[in-house]
Every structure is written in structure tokens, then in C-alpha cells.
Amino acid sequence: MEQNKKLKLFISYSHQDNLDENPYIEQFKKHIAPLKDNGLIEEWYDREILPGEDYQNKIDNNLEDADIICLFISPNFLSSDNCKKEKKKALELRKQKGIPVIPIILSPCGWSDDKDISKLLALPTDGKPVSSFRDRNEAWHDVYIGLKKLIEKEIKIKQLEITEEFENFLQDTEMLTEAHSQKERVFLDDIFVYPELDKYDNLREYEGKTSPEELLKNLLDYPKIVIAGEDRSGKTTLCKIMFKELRNKNFIPVYVSDKKTHFSGKIENKILHSFHEQYKGIDINKIDKERIIPIIDDFHLAKNKEKHIKDLSIYPRCIVVVDDIFGLNIKDEKLIGSFAYFKIRELKPSLRYELIKKWVSLTDKEIRDIYKDIDRTTELIDSILGKTIGRGIMPSYPFFILSAIVTYETFAIPLDQEITSQGYCYQAFIYFYLRKQGVKNDKIDIYINFLTELAFYIYKEKKYELSPDDFTSFMKLYLEKYNLPIEKEVLLKNLSRIVSVDSFNNYSFRYPYLYYFFVAKYLAEHIEDDKIKEEIETIMNNLYVDENAYFAVFIAHHSKNVNILEEIELNALCLFDKYKPATLTKDEVKFFDEQADIIVKAVLPPANITPEKERMEKLKMQNDLEESQKDIEQKEDIDKEDSLGKELRRAIKTVEVMGCIIKNRAGSLEKTRLEEIFVEAMNVLLRILSSFFEIIKSEDEQKAIIDFISERLRKIIEKKEERKRKPGEENLREISRIIFWNLNLLAVYIIIYKIVHSLGSDKLTEIVKKVCDEVSTPASFLVKHGILMWYNKNLQIDKIVERIDEKDFSEMAKRAIKLMVANHCSLHPINYKDRQRIENKLGIPAKKLLTRGYKES
């Protein structure tokens, strides 16, 4: 056996048990010499540590790397704090990695009352202490024989080789394998990101979140596992990763899938067949069932689940993968009572970012260009998933994210179609589902027409699903209007990935984006119909409702009809039309500039704060925000809002929709139209800013808000009774005034940020420059440079310095642009020379993240 194939044996012992009068370790080493000489093991204990080496670190590292751990049990061991720590760590490794832990009983002691040690098979045989043998050589030989058997078994398992064909399967990314423009072949390890899991108890009650890593780490806590996931949620991919992780822990996972016969016959035969396909040259019957972990994929397809689960009970551990946590419909609760249940969650923002980063980083580009690609792709995916204007319309599973990227970047749109690139992504998913079901190209049009009519029927009936009677009524109307050369059963079977039938036999579109796509397709195709015109007008007038905002975007994906665009622009003109767009000139915000001495000033992040760390902090906030919005019903939100709240929502949604249109039609709308839409959308949010200024420049409003902040602060301070020195009333009002004006600056910053991210795109750079330069106000300057910084990664320091020194540029606008620059520097790698330029020319120091009281240049 090669040197690197040796098993590492770690000896945990009390130093009191290796003294001259009782040299247990030395005796043990002599007896295992043949195992060492044959190249089977190499032992390690703390006497191997050299002078000057980190003692504890060396022990911890060798314990972590061990293949077998021997605990030399004695009264000295049981009473030693260090030995207890090593025992605890050894048992954790047994739990996490399946590392064998062998108690070797040196002398009589209460080891059988130790709840951890007593569960383990001890040596010598029956746990008879070494010191109790008349001839200690006989005791150590007994230990040798037991250890040899274990070592031979461990080596056989460790040397198991996976077949080349199955190794390829484990790394296969299916349709993504050759889809990257810069990498010849994409492997699963290149792009895999661990999803989060929801954990449920055996009554299917939700218990909290976890991860597959945590699950594998504590495998002995969950010997029998059910993992549930929707279609395309990454179940099989997770099976592959768990297979590899379990193999690394020296378990023998066996992956079983049977979509053809739906697990007919004995499950044991399926496992045996899979084992021989996946491993080379070993008989499964020679391996302890304790080490084998069957991973049964797509078990929800099995016809005889109860029998299979019963047959699986011969394995102490197994993983069963289904489409729903209630998918194991089994009478005998005893059979499934030992299972722990987990469900694959959609990727949250930070995990989507990690996935996109892995995909984008499969290139030789410089870090600056990689960040540009990551940010551009992240925005694209958020838009496709529907996250930019609502809670989402497509599941954020890796399949959808990566397929959308590939479709958007590599597939050409047929020349005879008016659909946008993003619209084509949705269409590509629909075609994929149909082709997956075996629908031929010459019949796809029939299915598309059926789905379009079905979606509009649901929309017209103001329902989200159709009962069996409703569906029968639809079919009757459809057959009166269209020829359907496909049997209804075949039609519905082939549409099963698009139209779902729930447990109560109600029909609905499986994902919201499918419904929006087909309703919008119908509306776009019948746009000359007067009733449809009225319908579109109603949608455009009520964009504050997420559903209508989605309809509007999808209509724009299908059509660039002038009437649609004019309707949206007309709505935009009417929003906050009592106000002029904010300019942020000195004259306009003089009242604001007068408070400059108490408003925070931007600083560059410290050199030890990396862009990646800052991005992670930002993504954590996005995770929390997205999670908090999941279970909130939008209709209830809207009903509770006052008229101003609705008007604000309408304005923001209108701008988001207009932004989606110009980003998706950046190359297919005339420049003048793009400019009109951009300036009108920008003006909507700048008019909101003017209305905000109207409020905060009123002294009465200022007093009322500062009083409110003071009152809130007073209550917070009163709750903290331990604080002996409380600020006086005058001091409290001053603190409140500082908070008030800094919150106002934040509000300005947020509105500019919203304009930048709602309307910006690297495809619209020339449009943005032209419009903002023609408007020529400090506000439009902030918008232009915000877009250049984020979308083009272009920070024009000299131009910023030149413009902010002009007479009309307010102090408040200066603070805002400097905050934007500081934020850009915190999220992107900036070299020392460029940091110095920013410090010297813009007067933004590199100290704390926010500070007061330094002189600006």
C-alpha cells in the first residue's frame, strides 16, 4: 500500500498511563508494529510534538486528520480535563465524519457508566481491562486482532473506487456543461452553491432553517432523512453533492433513481444494481450495512412506497428524496417516525450572488470587469425573477438562474419576433418544458395558443385558479373557437410542467411568470380591440398593484406598440404633478444647506475593509428584507395605506416599469422615445423629492417631527434604567435635530439611488448622458454619475470636482455625491493611488465610515 494510503491512528491518553512503571503506550506501539511495517497505519500521540511547536494546535490538527481514534481508558483518563476534551472532539468527529472511535480499557474503572464511551465497542474483547490479564501480551494481542479487523475494513472502504461513468455523472451539469462562453466544460464543483433547507419534525411542523453542510456534519443525529423539493429545485444536484461528501467521510453512499419503471420490484435489487454501476471491484455483501447510505432520488414516483421504506429499514441510514414533505403517504407511522424532514429553499440574495459570482468568475477577466459582470448579471436575474418590482414571479432556484443567464447571453432571438431578450428567456423556459414532455416543433404553436387563451380566461374571470367545472366551461368555449387536434388527456399531460392540478383538482399556472407571460401575450396580440385597450389602460392606471406592474412589463416584452408607451408616459406625467422636479441647486435647498454643520460627511472605508466584506453586509440586509416580505399579503398592505401612500407606491411602481421597458428595449426603441421615457421617469421621483422638501422646509413640520423623535428617544432612554446620566431636555432636542437632518439627507440619497437603479443600464449610457446634460442640474448630475459608477464602473473624479465647485451646486448635493463616491469605493477594489486622488481632490478622508468635523476641500 502506498504511503499516502496509510490510515492515521490518533492515540488519546493520560500521561499518568505511560510512566515507566506502566508504559501502556509503548506496549501498544510494540504490538501494532506489524500493521505499521505493512504500511497500513501510522500512529500519532502528543509525544510526537517537537520543542517550540504549538502544542494544542498540533494535537487538534492531528485529531481532526485522524482515520481512527483510540481512547486509552483508565481512571486517570476519565478524570483528566484534557482527556475529556479530546473524547468530546473524537465523538464529534465520529458524528460528523464517521471516524471509528475505539475505547481501549487499560485498567478497571467506571467506563461502562460513561454514557458516551459505553455505547462504543471496546477492546480488549468485552471491555476486559488490559491490566486484568495475567499476561499483558495476551491482552495487547486481543487489541491487535480487533484493531486489525477494523483497519482492514476501513482500508477496503477507503480504497473503493468510483467508476469513471458515475464520476462523470457526479460532475455533470447537463445543459450547462458546454454553455459557458469562456470555459470549454463546466463541472458541478465549478458552480455549486449550497441551498438552505427548511427543517420539519416528524409531524411535518416547521422547526427552522439549516443547510445540507450542517445536516451532513450532524449525520448521526438524522440517520434517516427525507429531502423534499419542487420541480427543478436542485434535488438531484444535492444528491450528487451529498454523495461526494458522504464518500469523503468514508461512508458508502449509493445513488438510486428509477424514472423509467418507478421503482417496480425490490428496492434492494435497485441498490445492488446501482452499487455495481457506481463502484469498482468489491462485493456489497462484504460491507457492513452500517456504512452504506442509500440515496433514493425521485422516490415520490414509487408505486409501492410503504414496502420500499420497510425494506430500507435494514440500513441504519438512508436519504429519501421526494417532491413534497407530505409525499410519503404511508399508513404505518412507525416506518416513517424516525425520519427527519427537510425542504430545499429558494436561493436568498446572498446565495444568488454567490452562484452568479461563481459563473461569472469562470473567466480570466480582471477583478474590476468581473464585478461589472456580477452586478450586471445580478440585476438581470433579479429582473427576470421579478424581484425588482415585487416579491417575485419565478422560483430563485439555480436551474432558473443559470438557464436564464445562458439563454439571455447565448441564444439568438428569431428575427421575426418582436419579443425582448428578457421576454425570450421566459419563452425559452416554456419551449423547454414542452420539449421535455416530447412535444414536436410543429405542434408547439397549438400549445402556445391554448395556454394564451387559458391565461386570459383566468384573468377575465378574475380568478387565480379554475375549478373542474370552470375548466370544463373554458374547454367548451375553446373548442367552439379553435380546432384542437390533440386529445385533452395528452394535452394536459404535456402541459404538466406549465399548468398544475392541485390536491383539490383545481387548475392553475405552475409559476406566476407563466401566467403573466400568456395574459400579456393575449393583450399585446389584441391591442387594437377597444375592450383590450380599456383593459390595458386600467392596468397602467393601477401600477401600484404588483400584478398590474408585472402585466405592464410583460406587455412591453411582447410589444413596443406606441400606444402602450404613451399610456405609461401619460400616467407618469400625472404623478405628483403639483410639484416641479427637484434640482438640488443652492437656491432650492438653502434651508437644507443651513444645517450643513450637523450633517454627516462621507469617508472612504478603512484599507482593511474589503469590497467583498462590504457586499456581504449589504446582502445580509437584502436577505432579511426579502425574508420579511415573503408572507405579507400585498392587498392588505394597500388597503391600509392612505392616499399619499398609494400615490407614492403608484409613482415608484410606474418608474420601475418604465425602467424595465427602456432597459429591455434599449436597442429596439428610437433614441427620442428612450430619452422621453427616461426623463419622465426620472422627473417622477424628482417631483416626489420636491414634495418632500415642501414638507421639511416648513418650520412647523420640522418642530413636529423633531418633537416626535425626542419623544421616541425619551422612551428608549427610560427603558434603559441602568443609564444613570440621562441627557437634559435641551440636549435631547439637539440630538433629535441632528437625527432629523441626517435622515433627510438619507432620504435624498435614497431617491437618487432609486433613480439610478430603476433607470440605469450600461446599454443606456449615451441616453443617460444626453438627458442629464440637457437637464443640467445638480440632481441630474448625481443621477448621471451614479449610473456611470454602478453600471460602467467609471468614477470621473475630475469632472465631479469641477462640477461641485460651480455656483449652483448646493452643499447638500455635495454631501450626496461624496456619499455616492464613498459607497462606490466600499463595494469595488480601489488601489492606493486612486484612494489618494479621492482624498486629495474630493476631500473624503479614509477614517471611520461616517464622521463629522473635518474640513472639506
Side-chain angles (χ1 to χ4, degrees):
M1 189 172 174
E2 292 174 15
Q3 183 72 18
N4 62 358
K5 295 285 182 75
K6 288 180 181 179
L7 295 183
K8 294 177 183 174
L9 188 145
F10 182 95
I11 301 169
S12 176
Y13 72 106
S14 165
H15 289 178
Q16 297 296 315
D17 294 320
N18 199 35
L19 301 173
D20 291 341
E21 66 272 16
N22 237 343
Y24 285 112
I25 303 298
E26 297 308 316
Q27 292 169 7
F28 174 71
K29 284 174 66 180
K30 286 177 184 176
H31 279 271
I32 63 170
L35 299 175
K36 286 179 67 179
D37 294 343
N38 290 332
L40 300 179
I41 62 164
E42 56 182 358
E43 91 285 351
W44 191 93
Y45 68 121
D46 61 12
R47 285 291 181 262
E48 305 282 343
I49 299 173
L50 299 173
E53 290 186 313
D54 187 329
Y55 187 82
Q56 193 56 51
N57 203 34
K58 200 79 174 171
I59 291 174
D60 293 343
N61 289 341
N62 278 279
L63 188 53
E64 189 73 41
D65 291 341
D67 296 303
I68 298 173
I69 299 169
C70 293
L71 306 179
F72 277 36
I73 308 299
S74 69
N76 295 321
F77 182 97
L78 295 176
S79 62
S80 165
D81 288 339
N82 285 333
C83 291
K84 287 176 188 176
K85 286 177 187 175
E86 286 178 15
K87 179 193 80 169
K88 183 182 177 184
K89 180 63 180 175
L91 293 170
E92 281 176 13
L93 291 169
R94 179 177 181 269
K95 189 174 172 182
Q96 294 166 10
K97 298 182 181 180
I99 303 296
V101 177
I102 313 299
I104 296 175
I105 313 303
L106 301 182
S107 54
C109 58
W111 70 271
S112 59
D113 292 325
D114 185 302
K115 63 179 181 179
D116 296 319
I117 298 173
S118 61
K119 294 175 187 175
L120 305 173
L121 185 63
L123 292 174
T125 304
D126 298 329
K128 183 179 177 180
V130 171
S131 64
S132 299
F133 283 75
R134 255 184 220 174
D135 183 351
R136 285 202 183 176
N137 286 324
E138 187 183 335
W140 286 120
H141 185 66
D142 186 294
V143 171
Y144 173 83
I145 296 298
L147 201 53
K148 183 185 174 186
K149 285 179 184 175
L150 173 68
I151 288 166
E152 286 173 345
K153 185 175 78 171
E154 287 298 311
I155 285 175
K156 275 185 183 177
I157 292 171
K158 198 167 188 178
Q159 288 181 326
L160 262 180
E161 284 187 57
I162 296 171
T163 63
E164 186 179 347
E165 186 179 351
F166 191 67
E167 193 70 65
N168 290 336
F169 167 77
L170 290 175
Q171 282 293 353
D172 185 31
T173 53
E174 299 178 10
M175 61 181 279
L176 299 170
T177 302
E178 298 176 356
H180 200 286
S181 60
Q182 303 294 315
K183 200 169 192 294
E184 190 176 330
R185 188 175 176 82
V186 176
F187 296 105
L188 186 57
D189 287 345
D190 292 330
I191 56 174
F192 180 75
V193 170
Y194 276 105
E196 286 186 316
L197 302 174
D198 283 330
K199 184 181 181 303
Y200 298 83
D201 62 19
N202 57 5
L203 298 174
R204 320 306 194 272
E205 294 289 331
Y206 178 70
E207 288 189 334
K209 288 186 286 190
T210 186
S211 70
E213 298 146 294
E214 202 62 32
L215 185 57
L216 289 167
K217 191 176 174 182
N218 299 302
L219 193 65
L220 293 189
D221 286 345
Y222 311 109
K224 293 186 181 289
I225 296 165
V226 172
I227 295 178
E230 298 174 19
D231 186 35
R232 300 284 155 186
S233 61
K235 299 188 293 292
T236 299
T237 298
L238 190 54
C239 287
K240 293 178 183 182
I241 295 296
M242 293 182 87
F243 182 102
K244 289 193 284 186
E245 288 297 323
L246 289 169
R247 189 69 203 98
N248 288 338
K249 294 174 185 292
N250 220 17
F251 287 105
I252 304 172
V254 182
Y255 174 77
V256 182
S257 178
D258 186 10
K259 291 181 181 178
K260 286 183 181 177
T261 68
H262 294 184
F263 298 94
S264 62
K266 291 184 176 180
I267 195 74
E268 184 64 21
N269 291 339
K270 303 280 181 191
I271 293 169
L272 183 64
H273 176 73
S274 296
F275 177 84
H276 288 303
E277 281 189 336
Q278 292 162 25
Y279 295 98
K280 293 179 188 176
I282 190 169
D283 185 353
I284 194 171
N285 296 314
K286 291 182 179 178
I287 302 170
D288 289 346
K289 293 280 194 292
E290 191 177 290
R291 301 305 285 268
I292 298 170
I293 304 182
I295 302 173
I296 316 297
D297 197 5
D298 293 313
F299 190 68
H300 52 279
L301 300 176
K303 294 171 184 174
N304 197 347
K305 294 183 180 68
E306 191 147 354
K307 182 180 182 303
H308 292 326
I309 291 291
K310 191 173 183 179
D311 291 345
L312 281 169
S313 63
I314 63 171
Y315 296 96
R317 301 180 182 89
C318 70
I319 298 169
V320 174
V321 181
V322 294
D323 62 347
D324 187 89
I325 58 164
F326 295 97
L328 290 183
N329 186 18
I330 292 172
K331 284 187 295 181
D332 189 349
E333 276 295 323
K334 290 179 184 176
L335 284 177
I336 56 171
S338 59
F339 279 88
Y341 294 81
F342 301 87
K343 186 177 180 222
I344 299 172
R345 290 172 63 90
E346 295 180 33
L347 297 190
K348 59 188 179 183
S350 59
L351 294 179
R352 297 200 293 269
Y353 176 88
E354 189 182 337
L355 180 67
I356 290 165
K357 183 183 172 188
K358 284 194 169 193
W359 181 265
V360 167
S361 298
L362 297 175
T363 66
D364 297 325
K365 290 184 178 180
E366 290 184 15
I367 187 68
R368 182 187 62 227
D369 294 325
I370 286 176
Y371 271 134
K372 184 177 179 180
D373 285 349
I374 290 171
D375 294 336
R376 177 185 58 79
T377 308
T378 299
E379 184 169 288
L380 167 70
I381 291 306
D382 282 347
S383 179
I384 290 173
L385 295 176
K387 301 290 187 183
T388 52
I389 59 174
R391 294 182 183 90
I393 55 174
M394 180 186 279
S396 55
Y397 295 124
F399 167 79
F400 293 96
I401 293 167
L402 294 175
S403 299
I405 294 171
V406 170
T407 304
Y408 191 86
E409 292 183 346
T410 61
F411 289 94
I413 303 170
L415 294 174
D416 60 345
Q417 291 196 17
E418 202 178 51
I419 198 165
T420 64
S421 298
Q422 194 169 309
Y424 183 65
C425 283
Y426 298 119
Q427 183 174 285
F429 279 116
I430 293 159
Y431 281 23
F432 169 81
Y433 294 142
L434 293 173
R435 287 183 181 127
K436 198 79 175 168
Q437 293 299 111
V439 175
K440 305 293 183 187
N441 281 346
D442 62 342
K443 290 187 177 177
I444 281 181
D445 187 59
I446 298 168
Y447 286 88
I448 296 296
N449 188 67
F450 179 86
L451 290 165
T452 304
E453 294 290 327
L454 175 63
F456 188 69
Y457 181 84
I458 294 172
Y459 171 80
K460 197 171 57 175
E461 293 293 312
K462 293 182 168 45
K463 295 180 177 179
Y464 292 101
E465 60 187 17
L466 298 181
S467 68
D469 289 343
D470 292 333
F471 190 76
T472 301
S473 299
F474 163 72
M475 286 299 299
K476 185 180 176 184
L477 289 171
Y478 187 83
L479 293 171
E480 286 173 3
K481 189 175 179 183
Y482 295 101
N483 176 43
L484 186 60
I486 302 168
E487 291 183 13
K488 179 184 170 184
E489 291 73 21
V490 175
L491 178 86
L492 292 176
K493 182 187 174 188
N494 289 339
L495 289 177
S496 60
R497 290 173 182 265
I498 299 173
V499 176
S500 65
V501 182
D502 66 17
S503 307
F504 310 107
N505 287 319
N506 296 311
Y507 296 79
S508 63
F509 281 87
R510 190 171 289 276
Y511 304 118
Y513 81 92
L514 296 164
Y515 172 63
Y516 294 127
F517 180 92
F518 286 112
V519 171
K521 187 175 190 298
Y522 186 98
L523 295 171
E525 288 173 352
H526 297 81
I527 203 159
E528 300 304 323
D529 185 308
D530 288 341
K531 287 185 178 178
I532 297 301
K533 281 182 182 175
E534 288 177 18
E535 204 65 57
I536 291 173
E537 191 177 330
T538 301
I539 288 169
M540 300 306 175
N541 284 331
N542 294 279
L543 291 178
Y544 62 89
V545 179
D546 282 356
E547 183 178 77
N548 289 327
Y550 285 129
F551 281 137
V553 169
F554 273 88
I555 291 168
H557 283 320
H558 285 292
S559 171
K560 54 180 180 179
N561 184 286
V562 173
N563 294 332
I564 296 171
L565 301 176
E566 286 179 349
E567 187 65 42
I568 293 174
E569 284 185 65
L570 186 62
N571 272 285
L573 283 167
C574 299
L575 294 164
F576 288 83
D577 56 352
K578 291 192 298 181
Y579 303 93
K580 290 181 180 179
T583 61
L584 305 187
T585 57
K586 279 184 177 178
D587 290 341
E588 181 184 62
V589 293
K590 185 184 175 186
F591 71 97
F592 211 128
D593 285 354
E594 288 170 354
Q595 311 299 327
D597 62 317
I598 61 168
I599 294 174
V600 294
K601 299 173 184 180
V603 298
L604 296 176
N608 63 334
I609 302 293
T610 64
E612 205 57 30
K613 186 176 180 182
E614 285 294 299
R615 283 169 176 255
M616 285 303 110
E617 288 300 316
K618 189 178 175 186
L619 285 163
K620 279 180 191 173
M621 291 190 281
Q622 290 178 22
N623 290 344
D624 294 339
L625 180 63
E626 193 167 290
E627 185 70 21
S628 68
Q629 291 176 337
K630 269 187 179 178
D631 301 320
I632 302 171
E633 287 293 327
Q634 193 204 13
K635 191 175 184 307
E636 291 178 12
D637 289 353
I638 294 170
D639 290 343
K640 290 176 185 176
E641 283 178 349
D642 55 23
S643 58
L644 177 60
K646 284 185 181 178
E647 194 67 5
L648 269 172
R649 180 187 282 272
R650 190 196 308 273
I652 291 166
K653 290 292 178 187
T654 300
V655 171
E656 288 171 345
V657 169
M658 292 169 85
C660 285
I661 291 169
I662 59 174
K663 289 179 188 190
N664 280 291
R665 293 282 181 195
S668 59
L669 288 178
E670 292 181 3
K671 282 184 176 181
T672 51
R673 177 65 70 185
L674 290 171
E675 290 164 10
E676 284 172 14
I677 297 173
F678 182 91
V679 77
E680 290 304 336
M682 178 173 72
N683 284 343
V684 170
L685 293 180
L686 290 178
R687 288 198 294 271
I688 291 175
L689 190 52
S690 286
S691 72
F692 175 70
F693 288 155
E694 195 71 26
I695 295 168
I696 64 168
K697 73 180 178 183
S698 160
E699 290 186 5
D700 289 342
E701 290 292 343
Q702 288 176 23
K703 183 178 181 302
I705 298 169
I706 289 169
D707 285 347
F708 173 79
I709 295 170
S710 295
E711 186 58 31
R712 296 297 299 168
L713 284 176
R714 190 179 293 107
K715 286 181 179 178
I716 292 167
I717 292 165
E718 284 171 1
K719 282 182 182 177
K720 295 186 176 181
E721 295 177 352
E722 72 278 2
R723 183 162 181 158
K724 294 178 181 178
R725 292 183 61 190
K726 296 180 182 179
E729 190 61 33
E730 192 175 325
N731 196 5
L732 195 63
R733 275 195 69 77
E734 179 59 16
I735 293 169
S736 302
R737 189 172 75 89
I738 292 168
I739 292 171
F740 170 72
W741 287 106
N742 280 286
L743 286 175
N744 292 336
L745 178 64
L746 181 62
V748 173
Y749 182 87
I750 288 170
I751 289 176
I752 298 297
Y753 179 92
K754 186 67 183 171
I755 297 171
V756 166
H757 289 271
S758 295
L759 306 178
S761 167
D762 57 346
K763 294 180 290 187
L764 293 167
T765 303
E766 294 311 311
I767 301 297
V768 171
K769 284 180 179 177
K770 186 171 184 293
V771 169
C772 291
D773 288 346
E774 284 176 358
V775 173
S776 191
T777 64
S780 68
F781 182 82
L782 264 63
V783 170
K784 180 176 84 170
H785 283 273
I787 290 171
L788 289 175
M789 277 188 264
W790 185 252
Y791 292 96
N792 297 67
K793 306 305 176 194
N794 176 215
L795 175 53
Q796 300 181 354
I797 299 170
D798 292 336
K799 288 190 177 179
I800 292 173
V801 171
E802 183 185 333
R803 182 68 178 92
I804 66 176
D805 281 341
E806 291 180 15
K807 289 181 180 179
D808 66 329
F809 215 89
S810 64
E811 183 62 31
M812 189 266 291
K814 285 183 187 179
R815 298 290 172 91
I817 191 79
K818 290 183 180 184
L819 281 173
M820 290 165 70
V821 170
N823 183 58
H824 178 82
C825 293
S826 72
L827 299 173
H828 301 86
I830 308 294
N831 64 38
Y832 177 77
K833 185 179 176 182
D834 289 333
R835 284 172 68 93
Q836 288 296 105
R837 279 183 69 209
I838 292 167
E839 285 191 48
N840 296 333
K841 292 200 169 191
L842 284 170
I844 307 177
K847 293 182 182 176
K848 297 176 183 176
L849 285 178
L850 286 175
T851 187
R852 290 176 57 204
Y854 67 85
K855 291 182 180 179
E856 289 193 292
S857 59

